[in-house]
Amino acid sequence: MKKILITGGNGQLGSELRLLSKVYTQFEWIFTDYQELDLCNLEKLETELTKINPQIIINCAAHTAVDKAEAEFELSDVLNHQAVAVLAKWSNVNDCQLIHVSTDYVFDGTAATALTETAQPNPINVYGVTKLAGEKACIKYNPDSIIIRTSWVYSSFGANFVKTMSRLMQERDSLNVVNDQIGSPTYAADLAQAIMTILTHDNWQAGIYHFSNEGEVSWYEFALAIQEIAGFDCEINGIPTSAYPTPAKRPQYSLLDKSKIKSVYGVVVPEYITSLRRCMRLLGIEK
């Protein structure tokens, strides 16, 4: 029985994988968060990995607070880059399969069409810079690893845009939401299923893959969809990014092309609105 180690086990993706672990009982599952496996303690990390001795690592851990990361470069770099290098080195030496989760924020947002895996990365914030460094370390130290870039992740677990918008729409008469950043949301449950489709496939093909739900929307349009599904009575206004300054710049266009993951692994990619309904039903906020 292969042992799977999940880092970031209490995050959105880790929590969805925990649910799937009850289905994929052919694996032994080890879920860790920073209390059980501190990725920031680089000196001890290799020893801890040897103790656990997994045959598969799914690295869901990251410093994902994009605005806070601007003032916390060192912490971001340790978690998003240096720890990934240790995971990659260890997995390479110990014949362990590594799936590392990355982000659309490795791109600068100047593209006009959906981004393929060969598109040139050019991050514009600390989060993106450190995540790209993690990707490069992953490929350098374990060329047989798989990297999955994703975007706009939400789920019924943790804090995310869907839950925040749902709360604010009930508390306020009106909301302003950015309407000139374009991409596609990702329901973490769908990403977790895509990962398990890869792990149970006959053919392991290393490299970078893109995964998000189908659809091209702005954050404003995403908010309108949430409102429509829940039936909230709140005025939602679309505003430009310039009207809502944040410490970290965001890419204006980061829609991911999913052709590769579909063709190589036969991954099914649901429409974003279908998955959004599923999640909101679970949260009990569907009208």
Side-chain angles (χ1 to χ4, degrees), residues 56-178:
I56 300 163
I57 297 172
I58 305 173
N59 183 33
C60 307
H63 187 306
T64 57
V66 177
D67 288 321
K68 280 178 75 180
E70 291 298 304
E72 298 176 346
F73 180 87
E74 203 168 308
L75 174 61
S76 297
D77 193 61
V78 168
L79 198 47
N80 295 343
H81 166 215
Q82 295 178 50
V84 180
V86 176
L87 293 175
K89 286 176 189 173
W90 188 92
S91 58
N92 191 43
V93 169
N94 292 277
D95 196 26
C96 172
Q97 293 173 305
L98 173 62
I99 293 181
H100 171 62
V101 180
S102 191
T103 173
D104 62 321
Y105 277 32
V106 299
F107 298 112
D108 61 15
T110 58
T113 55
L115 293 146
T116 66
E117 291 78 1
T118 55
Q120 190 61 42
N122 184 32
I124 55 173
N125 56 42
V126 165
Y127 173 62
V129 165
T130 56
K131 288 295 285 184
L132 180 59
E135 285 188 11
K136 288 178 175 176
C138 203
I139 292 163
K140 178 181 177 181
Y141 296 116
N142 187 351
D144 197 42
S145 55
I146 284 175
I147 294 165
I148 303 176
R149 292 180 183 142
T150 191
S151 62
W152 301 19
V153 176
Y154 70 92
S155 79
S156 58
F157 300 97
N160 56 65
F161 185 80
V162 173
K163 290 167 90 169
T164 300
M165 285 294 112
S166 298
R167 176 175 55 80
L168 292 176
M169 284 177 202
Q170 294 174 83
E171 292 174 357
R172 299 184 188 177
D173 295 329
S174 68
L175 278 179
N176 295 333
V177 184
V178 169

Side-chain angles (χ1 to χ4, degrees), residues 260-279:
K260 184 180 175 185
I261 201 166
K262 289 182 199 171
S263 64
V264 174
Y265 285 109
V267 166
V268 175
V269 183
E271 288 290 330
Y272 97 90
I273 200 77
T274 306
S275 293
L276 179 59
R277 285 185 189 283
R278 274 175 57 215
C279 182

Side-chain angles (χ1 to χ4, degrees), residues 173-195:
D173 295 329
S174 68
L175 278 179
N176 295 333
V177 184
V178 169
N179 64 4
D180 58 358
Q181 291 172 25
I182 308 297
S184 188
T186 304
Y187 184 23
D190 294 335
L191 176 55
Q193 183 56 65
I195 288 170

Side-chain angles (χ1 to χ4, degrees), residues 201-215:
H201 199 276
D202 297 339
N203 192 10
W204 177 271
Q205 286 196 41
I208 298 172
Y209 294 85
H210 287 174
F211 183 89
S212 66
N213 285 121
E214 296 286 17

Side-chain angles (χ1 to χ4, degrees), residues 198-239:
I198 289 170
L199 283 179
T200 53
H201 199 276
D202 297 339
N203 192 10
W204 177 271
Q205 286 196 41
I208 298 172
Y209 294 85
H210 287 174
F211 183 89
S212 66
N213 285 121
E214 296 286 17
E216 179 176 340
V217 292
S218 66
W219 288 107
Y220 167 68
E221 290 166 320
F222 191 17
L224 288 178
I226 293 165
Q227 181 189 41
E228 187 181 337
I229 291 167
F232 293 135
D233 184 21
C234 172
E235 185 187 347
I236 302 174
N237 307 301
I239 59 166

